[in-house]
Amino acid sequence: MEHITLSFPASRTSSGKALAGVVGSGDMEVLFTAAAGETLSIDITTSVDNSTSRWNALFDRLNLINGLPAGTLVIHDFGATPGVARIRIEQVFEEVSHA
């Protein structure tokens, strides 16, 4: 298991908490807690070693498309494909944007 900590500038704010995925589902679980500030802090535990560049690329792309909200994102990854990872992350961001 690898532990990755990332931080990105946030360009929008939201409120509330959201959960997507199930930790025992075989892919991933994403928990997001919105917070005031200008940073998205990301804490990833993954079964895929040496994947920091993949996660950086995913968040760079999400930032370019919609911007990133301020808060804390906790990801428990068990080998999800990049497509599934993106869907789960976008799900929690969308849920808090409607709170």
Side-chain angles (χ1 to χ4, degrees):
M1 298 295 274
E2 183 175 10
H3 185 256
I4 302 167
T5 303
L6 304 172
S7 183
F8 287 87
S11 60
R12 56 190 168 105
T13 59
S14 53
S15 63
K17 296 179 180 183
L19 167 70
V22 178
V23 75
S25 67
D27 59 21
M28 72 184 302
E29 172 185 70
V30 179
L31 302 105
F32 176 69
T33 304
E38 299 177 358
T39 303
L40 174 63
S41 299
I42 306 161
D43 183 54
I44 304 165
T45 302
T46 180
S47 63
V48 182
D49 291 334
N50 302 313
S51 61
T52 303
S53 61
R54 178 177 67 108
W55 287 105
N56 273 314
L58 174 62
F59 283 101
D60 284 341
R61 174 166 281 180
L62 289 171
N63 193 23
L64 286 173
I65 294 170
N66 290 321
L68 297 171
T72 303
L73 191 65
V74 178
I75 299 173
H76 300 116
D77 173 38
F78 295 96
T81 64
V84 169
R86 181 175 174 176
I87 288 169
R88 295 284 182 253
I89 294 164
E90 287 178 333
Q91 285 172 330
V92 295
F93 290 167
E94 183 175 344
E95 188 172 329
V96 295
S97 72
H98 296 294

